[in-house]
Amino acid sequence: MESAISTFNVEESPWGLKQGIAHEKFLEVFEPLPEIKEILLTSESLDEARERLSKFAEELLWKYKNGEISVDSIDRWLAIESINVFLNIISEYGEKAAGFSTLEYLWKAAKGDKHVLSIITEGFVEEFRHLFRAMAAVSGYSKGWLGPKLEAAGIKFVDFSKIKGRKAALARSEYLDKEWNYIRGYLQRYPSGLDKEIIEKRKKQREQLMEYFGITEDEWFDYKWQFSHVLKREKGLETLRELNELGIVKVPEDDLKQVELAVKYHIPWGITPYYLHLWDFQEPYLHDRQVRRQVMPPDWYMKNMIIHREDREYYFDFMGEHDTSPIDLVTRRYVTIAILKAYDTCPQICVYCQRNWEVLEPFMAGSFPGWDKIEEALNWFAEHDSMMDVLITGGDPLALSDKIIDKIMARFAEMDHVVNIRWGSRIFVTVPMRITDSLAEILGSYIEPGKRNVSISTHVESAYEVTPEMGEAAYKVRRQGIYIYNQLVYQRNVSRRFENVALRIALKKVGIDPYYTFYPKGKIEQKDYLVPIARVVQERKEEARLLPGQFRPDEPVFNVPRMGKNHLRAWQDRELVGIRPDGSRIYLMHPWEKGISETKLYTYPDVPIKEYLEYLESIGEDPNDYWTIWYYY
Ligand code: SF4
């Protein structure tokens, strides 16, 4: 079983949650199920506790299944799910998979063991408090997270068993309207770059930058100017400092310090002037966290990148691309698609980049491997007729010249088995003016109805990034008959209630279809970007579902190293097998090949939910808005 656990000893925690819980306080977690406390307190050994607890849980499970306990049917369903989780966690198999005994911590904490009480955190306590509530069917989940809020606002649930016909339909319609009004309150917190005031604000900011750089509007909208003025290295740092000193763009001291370190230690960093103008110049991190954090590295990330700068090629290769490359420039994890890495750099650097071990700097010298190497990789595709779909990526390959793009397209078009030629590019977000009429025409010219399609996968993170410029670029491409899909990395800076819904709506306006909602690269240097898996699933269930189907075709996925995407919506594709003393859940991920052929499971320690909720609170969110998160396993 492969694992991402090894970095930290089970009793250490990278998450910064305060360790140490008073015994009395800990015992409160058993309130919904005092029988569990009794068993733990009176068991003389771990094995005795395990045996008695499993007997108790199995009997309880049967009572729910058999209808002997009368509770709401949704609470009954959750009780059954949570009892299964509990049985997994206390099982010997679960312990072996997790690499430690959760039950031992639970048992010892219940008995008042000083050492254990000194290392567990609220994260551990809250996991069990909620697990026991769910097992006792007293979680309140059956009312939903929104139901009680609507009720408090006088919006009553329509019970179809009491009213019928038109009367029922009208009541239900009124209820749904009011529900939407309530949700709109959340959505208004996430302005889109298509909103009139934001367009106005950015026009002024653009003019300020144009004046600073001494350029005309034509130059600003020329992608070549954007490409050659990316803020990077010492010069980029100096520009940022100067913009700050002149009062044009406020940049917090700590951000400047991190960029200094990035420059000093050659850690990937860079921003295009276009992307810079999406920031709120005068109010850093008030409403623009989702764009600033995209490109401004935080302290923890920087420290880890510095520590591992010598071995980063392997240390940060989360997806194990070294093991999945049959030939240079090609990565293959699936049956009918492979990746061609045609350009190893991007116009700017996303801090959480999955390829931060190889994409080292914007427009880094030597990033174009040369046509001969590309030709060899293309020959590999020609020889593999399973390659129905090809993804040309990098880096950002749409930063290549039209000539090279055309040559790559022409070569793929010679391969009869290639049904879809797909470009992976973030250019719509970083330099949308790169999508010129001629580029769009080149791409579109390779569509042959009945034979071959062309598409683009892009990477928009928030509604704030969706601008009229992006809309224009997308339309140029769509007019050629090219589909555009979005791959969102669901990182914590874009994970507030309904934030992804706001993005889906903005994307619809510019004709881009949500495609994947990715769990971020699950490595600890990315801790300021990670969310609990439960949050991804909660968003899908409680927020995305409120949109029409065509607004939410995206699938939430977790990337299992070397194997690829694992669907998170399918609970049968993972098992919760442990809870560390810091509250981090340990999952056993089942790769997509399960049920198709032999495969190996992958162990993943998740973000403690408590830590994530504290983060949300620190940026002004109400953690109570998220309380159902505990019940997604
Ligand atoms: S656009 Fe993609 S490849 Fe480039 S830095 Fe961002 S995440 Fe990495």
Side-chain angles (χ1 to χ4, degrees):
M1 220 172 288
E2 210 186 337
S3 166
I5 291 182
S6 50
T7 335
F8 287 90
N9 173 306
V10 73
E11 295 187 2
E12 287 172 5
S13 173
W15 294 103
L17 285 171
K18 196 171 151 281
Q19 290 181 302
I21 299 290
H23 189 212
E24 287 293 290
K25 192 160 179 249
F26 183 73
L27 292 178
E28 288 170 11
V29 303
F30 300 106
E31 265 165 27
L33 287 173
E35 299 90 331
I36 292 186
K37 179 168 88 176
E38 191 53 33
I39 293 171
L40 289 171
L41 290 177
T42 55
S43 291
E44 294 302 321
S45 68
L46 191 60
D47 285 340
E48 184 191 339
R50 189 188 333 272
E51 208 184 306
R52 290 172 63 197
L53 282 176
S54 61
K55 189 163 177 285
F56 167 75
E58 272 157 15
E59 282 172 9
L60 186 62
L61 183 67
W62 183 247
K63 283 183 195 158
Y64 282 120
K65 292 212 176 214
N66 214 25
E68 290 170 39
I69 302 175
S70 165
V71 286
D72 179 280
S73 24
I74 298 290
D75 290 329
R76 170 188 170 272
W77 163 82
L78 184 63
I80 290 170
E81 290 296 324
S82 56
I83 293 170
N84 280 324
V85 166
F86 182 68
L87 284 166
N88 253 3
I89 286 174
I90 65 168
S91 70
E92 282 182 276
Y93 179 83
E95 288 181 355
K96 222 166 140 202
F100 64 93
S101 170
T102 306
L103 179 58
E104 188 171 353
Y105 287 112
L106 188 68
W107 175 55
K108 287 186 171 170
K111 283 189 171 267
D113 181 289
K114 282 203 175 62
H115 170 68
V116 169
L117 286 168
S118 75
I119 56 151
I120 58 175
T121 69
E122 292 261 357
F124 185 83
V125 174
E126 291 305 311
E127 276 290 359
F128 279 102
R129 189 194 309 283
H130 290 90
L131 187 64
F132 295 151
R133 272 186 197 156
M135 288 168 67
V138 295
S139 66
Y141 182 81
S142 57
K143 296 268 179 215
W145 75 279
L146 195 56
K149 285 174 185 286
L150 295 175
E151 220 170 294
I155 307 167
K156 291 228 163 38
F157 163 74
V158 180
D159 185 344
F160 286 109
S161 68
K162 301 219 168 91
I163 48 170
K164 300 268 176 231
R166 180 61 54 83
K167 199 173 159 209
L170 286 171
R172 173 78 174 152
S173 179
E174 197 189 335
Y175 173 84
L176 294 173
D177 274 346
K178 286 182 177 164
E179 187 173 19
W180 172 244
N181 277 339
Y182 201 89
I183 292 161
R184 205 181 347 230
Y186 282 91
L187 287 172
Q188 276 161 356
R189 294 155 59 192
Y190 312 115
S192 124
L194 301 169
D195 296 350
K196 224 167 129 209
E197 326 73 86
I198 306 299
I199 293 174
E200 278 305 309
K201 173 158 63 173
R202 286 177 175 168
K203 183 169 175 281
K204 282 194 199 112
Q205 297 190 159
R206 183 177 77 217
E207 284 161 2
Q208 282 179 293
L209 288 184
M210 279 162 40
E211 196 185 332
Y212 171 79
F213 284 111
I215 57 160
T216 62
E217 194 147 279
D218 284 349
E219 282 170 297
W220 175 267
F221 285 106
D222 178 351
Y223 75 87
K224 289 184 187 138
W225 183 87
Q226 291 284 338
F227 279 8
S228 57
H229 288 80
V230 172
L231 277 68
K232 61 177 187 175
R233 298 193 186 176
E234 290 84 356
K235 184 142 187 294
L237 171 62
E238 265 169 42
T239 305
L240 214 52
R241 269 208 200 105
E242 204 168 80
L243 286 166
N244 184 42
E245 278 157 21
L246 292 170
I248 299 173
V249 185
K250 284 195 182 152
V251 188
E253 258 322 298
D254 191 53
D255 278 4
L256 288 170
K257 201 177 110 201
Q258 301 308 327
V259 174
E260 253 170 51
L261 290 171
V263 170
K264 182 170 171 195
Y265 291 104
H266 307 289
I267 309 296
W269 173 77
I271 315 170
T272 64
Y274 169 82
Y275 197 83
L276 181 66
H277 107 291
L278 304 184
W279 293 11
D280 293 342
F281 284 180
Q282 295 308 316
E283 296 171 317
Y285 296 106
L286 193 61
H287 301 294
D288 70 349
R289 166 175 303 277
Q290 64 279 41
V291 285
R292 287 218 188 210
R293 269 286 163 254
Q294 183 78 24
V295 284
M296 297 307 276
D299 176 61
W300 168 275
Y301 167 84
M302 196 49 78
K303 280 192 185 124
N304 274 273
M305 291 296 281
I306 291 171
I307 292 170
H308 291 286
R309 65 189 189 281
E310 302 301 338
D311 60 351
R312 73 174 157 209
E313 184 176 349
Y314 287 89
Y315 185 82
F316 295 122
D317 177 14
F318 176 68
M319 284 307 290
E321 290 193 34
H322 287 91
D323 301 337
T324 49
S325 174
I327 181 172
D328 283 359
L329 309 187
V330 176
T331 299
R332 182 183 193 178
R333 290 188 280 268
Y334 306 107
V335 182
T336 52
I337 174 186
I339 289 172
L340 169 67
K341 289 196 270 185
Y343 193 44
D344 242 0
T345 190
C346 295
Q348 77 176 24
I349 303 292
C350 312
V351 177
Y352 52 76
C353 177
Q354 192 161 280
R355 297 217 167 95
N356 63 1
W357 55 276
E358 62 176 352
V359 177
L360 301 181
E361 187 185 81
F363 294 117
M364 185 176 56
S367 296
F368 178 61
W371 182 253
D372 288 350
K373 277 207 121 175
I374 291 193
E375 181 91 66
E376 279 172 38
L378 287 165
N379 289 340
W380 181 91
F381 280 95
E383 286 157 13
H384 290 79
D385 63 6
S386 52
M387 291 297 112
M388 191 187 292
D389 191 6
V390 298
L391 172 61
I392 305 144
T393 178
D396 194 329
L398 288 187
L400 286 166
S401 69
D402 286 4
K403 200 170 149 207
I404 295 288
I405 291 171
D406 196 13
K407 266 176 101 172
I408 294 174
M409 290 297 278
R411 185 71 182 91
F412 275 126
E414 287 168 10
M415 303 174 201
D416 282 343
H417 56 274
V418 173
V419 175
N420 191 39
I421 306 175
R422 179 158 43 125
W423 291 80
S425 171
R426 197 159 198 250
I427 216 98
F428 294 91
V429 180
T430 56
V431 192
M433 43 290 264
R434 169 64 186 105
I435 306 289
T436 56
D437 289 326
S438 62
L439 175 61
E441 278 161 26
I442 290 171
L443 296 172
S445 68
Y446 289 95
I447 293 177
E448 270 189 61
K451 183 161 195 243
R452 184 187 321 106
N453 228 322
V454 175
S455 66
I456 297 180
S457 298
T458 191
H459 169 191
V460 188
E461 282 292 289
S462 67
Y464 221 35
E465 289 178 343
V466 181
T467 61
E469 290 91 328
M470 179 188 289
E472 198 186 318
Y475 194 45
K476 274 185 192 159
V477 166
R478 289 174 62 231
R479 270 203 304 256
Q480 297 293 330
I482 297 168
Y483 296 108
I484 315 174
Y485 301 100
N486 192 50
Q487 304 195 164
L488 165 75
V489 177
Y490 195 63
Q491 40 97 5
R492 62 174 58 185
N493 297 291
V494 296
S495 69
R496 290 169 291 177
R497 272 280 187 206
F498 290 103
E499 196 162 12
N500 194 7
V501 167
L503 170 64
R504 291 184 184 99
I505 296 170
L507 287 175
K508 196 74 184 167
K509 290 183 183 172
V510 294
I512 299 178
D513 284 328
Y515 169 48
Y516 280 129
T517 292
F518 269 107
Y519 185 84
K521 169 178 157 179
K523 281 206 79 166
I524 202 61
E525 85 271 8
Q526 306 282 12
K527 103 178 161 75
D528 296 310
Y529 292 85
L530 292 176
V531 295
I533 284 174
R535 175 67 190 121
V536 184
V537 188
Q538 180 189 41
E539 196 279 335
R540 188 73 218 174
K541 176 74 192 76
E542 298 177 5
E543 293 145 63
R545 186 63 186 84
L546 291 152
L547 282 172
Q550 290 203 343
F551 284 65
R552 53 170 165 84
D554 51 308
E555 187 66 57
V557 287
F558 177 96
N559 255 327
V560 176
R562 290 174 195 80
M563 307 308 291
K565 295 172 199 73
N566 177 323
H567 286 197
L568 285 177
R569 233 188 320 180
W571 287 22
Q572 72 266 28
D573 281 352
R574 67 180 178 279
E575 297 169 74
L576 208 177
V577 291
I579 295 171
R580 283 160 66 133
D582 65 357
S584 164
R585 292 177 175 183
I586 307 295
Y587 284 104
L588 262 189
M589 309 302 285
H590 300 193
W592 62 268
E593 271 171 301
K594 183 179 80 172
I596 300 170
S597 55
E598 195 179 326
T599 189
K600 291 235 178 330
L601 306 192
Y602 176 72
T603 319
Y604 178 67
D606 202 6
V607 179
I609 290 178
K610 175 75 180 156
E611 189 277 338
Y612 173 67
L613 294 179
E614 285 186 3
Y615 155 77
L616 287 174
E617 196 168 9
S618 76
I619 59 161
E621 289 291 285
D622 177 359
N624 294 322
D625 266 358
Y626 299 80
W627 67 270
T628 48
I629 190 173
W630 298 101
Y631 304 113
Y632 292 92
Y633 306 115

